[in-house]
């Protein structure tokens, strides 16, 4: 089955730093989402980005579908950015199930 | 616009007892999902509904888990009887025609 790999698994940064999170997938997809799970467990939609580039404030994402990866950029990190970032994809010919990566745990220190 | 609403937020029960979770999806979203998330892992799909029809329940442990989505809106997930290994966060999500999924706050279940 499809493999979704996220890197790095853990990341510790000082407030104000920038970071890049990566999601690699092993097959063609027609849906890719980035989520932030905050320390209270809430899964928050960041981007719905099967291809191309999107920006929302300090966050931006780029998906290169032909090369099977997506990147999430966080600039000027704040402590509220702490949590786990998940990438989830759907295959083009699947039963529409989201396949999840293992997540990147991000800790922003004040 | 209100997001996906789940209740209760927390539940502690003794093993062998029944438990039920409720979900109200975003208005107009015809696709509804129930997921289970164990600590340190990504969510695992239990069941997906398109309107009132369960179109994917292959990962639902049917001996003890059941779900319904009457009238294609609200949904209930039930466990009877609960086991210690059922302790997890149960997440409900909805999407318009199985596209971008939006999640509720989840129900944290502890079975003692």
């Amino acid at each position: 089955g499809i493999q979704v790999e996220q890197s790095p698994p853990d990341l510790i940064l000082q407030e104000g730093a920038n970071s890049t999170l990566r999601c690699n997938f092993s097959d063609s997809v027609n849906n890719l989402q980035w989520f932030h799970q905050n320390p209270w467990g809430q899964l928050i939609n960041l981007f719905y980005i099967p291809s191309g580039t999107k920006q929302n404030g300090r966050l931006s994402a780029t998906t290169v579908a032909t090369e099977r990866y997506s990147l999430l950029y966080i600039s000027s990190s704040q402590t509220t950015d702490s949590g786990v970032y998940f990438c989830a994809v759907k295959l083009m010919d699947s039963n529409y199930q989201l396949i999840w990566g293992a997540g990147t745990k991000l800790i922003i220190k004040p | 616009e209100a997001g996906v609403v789940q209740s209760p937020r927390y539940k502690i029960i003794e093993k062998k007892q029944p438990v039920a979770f409720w979900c109200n999806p975003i208005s107009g979203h015809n696709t509804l999902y129930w997921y289970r998330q164990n600590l340190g892992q990504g969510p695992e799909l239990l069941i997906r509904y398109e309107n009132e029809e369960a179109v994917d329940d292959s990962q639902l442990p049917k001996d003890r888990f059941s779900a319904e989505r009457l009238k294609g809106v609200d949904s209930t997930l039930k466990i009877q009887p609960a086991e210690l290994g059922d302790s997890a966060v149960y997440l409900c999500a909805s999407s318009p025609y199985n596209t971008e999924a939006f999640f509720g706050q989840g129900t944290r279940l502890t079975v003692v």
Side-chain angles (χ1 to χ4, degrees), chain B residues 7-8 11 19-23 34 75-77 79 90 107 109:
Chain B
S7 67
K11 190 74 176 178
V19 64
F21 315 122
W22 175 80
C23 173
W34 282 103
S75 179
T76 303
L77 178 69
I79 308 175
Y90 290 83
T107 297
L109 174 68

Side-chain angles (χ1 to χ4, degrees), chain B residues 27 30 37-38 44-45 47-48 60 66 68 81 91 94 102:
Chain B
S27 177
N30 65 315
Q37 186 177 24
N38 292 307
E44 169 197 17
L45 180 68
I47 189 168
R48 176 172 65 94
L60 187 73
S66 64
E68 61 182 11
L91 295 161
S94 70
F102 294 85

